[in-house]
Amino acid sequence: MYQLSVEQHFDAAHLLRGYHGKCEALHGHRFRAVVKVEAAGLDGIGIGYDFTELKRHLRDILSRFDHTSLNEVPPFDKINPSSENIARTIYDELKPRLAGTPVVLAAVEVWESPESGVAYIPD
């Protein structure tokens, strides 16, 4: 089994509704999103999946979040734009894009700082 990863960043502001602390105020992050896929084997030229394609899919998803107030962007206009919810949203949007490819989406990580991040790994 091979695990491939790509990483991209986006800048956005958010606030956490119902949070009792400084994160209830509008603030910004340079978010880091890491996508991990698994390939059971390699193709004829020795790759599990094209990094360029995986990065393109991730970039397409993140482009609607970049330089926004996440609380105004669906689905975060209804749910809190926590790192946990951001990771799950990226996963849910990326999974159908990978249908029919030789890889399985294994996890999505979202880091809001160099020290604080979350991974969404489905059951």
Side-chain angles (χ1 to χ4, degrees), residues 2-6 35-58 94-105:
Y2 298 90
Q3 190 173 76
L4 296 79
S5 301
V6 297
V35 169
K36 296 182 180 194
V37 298
E38 293 176 344
L42 304 179
D43 68 11
I45 62 169
I47 63 172
Y49 191 69
D50 189 343
F51 286 128
T52 301
E53 284 298 303
L54 191 54
K55 286 189 274 188
R56 182 181 58 81
H57 289 308
L58 180 57
L94 185 57
K95 186 173 172 89
R97 291 172 179 249
L98 297 175
T101 69
V103 294
V104 174
L105 183 54

Side-chain angles (χ1 to χ4, degrees), residues 6-117:
V6 297
E7 171 181 324
Q8 294 192 5
H9 298 87
F10 68 98
D11 297 300
H14 73 158
L15 60 87
L16 298 178
R17 299 174 203 94
Y19 184 87
H20 301 291
K22 65 182 182 177
C23 292
E24 68 186 333
L26 185 65
H27 61 285
H29 296 285
R30 178 170 181 106
F31 289 95
R32 179 169 61 107
V34 180
V35 169
K36 296 182 180 194
V37 298
E38 293 176 344
L42 304 179
D43 68 11
I45 62 169
I47 63 172
Y49 191 69
D50 189 343
F51 286 128
T52 301
E53 284 298 303
L54 191 54
K55 286 189 274 188
R56 182 181 58 81
H57 289 308
L58 180 57
R59 183 174 48 254
D60 288 348
I61 293 166
L62 298 182
S63 67
R64 70 187 186 96
F65 303 145
D66 192 37
H67 285 83
T68 67
S69 175
L70 291 173
N71 296 77
E72 299 172 6
V73 177
F76 307 117
D77 55 341
K78 306 281 187 244
I79 63 172
N80 256 336
S82 63
S83 291
E84 292 87 346
N85 283 334
I86 296 168
R88 174 69 185 261
T89 297
I90 294 167
Y91 182 94
D92 289 346
E93 292 186 18
L94 185 57
K95 186 173 172 89
R97 291 172 179 249
L98 297 175
T101 69
V103 294
V104 174
L105 183 54
V108 173
E109 297 178 9
V110 171
W111 293 79
E112 61 180 50
S113 76
E115 301 87 20
S116 302

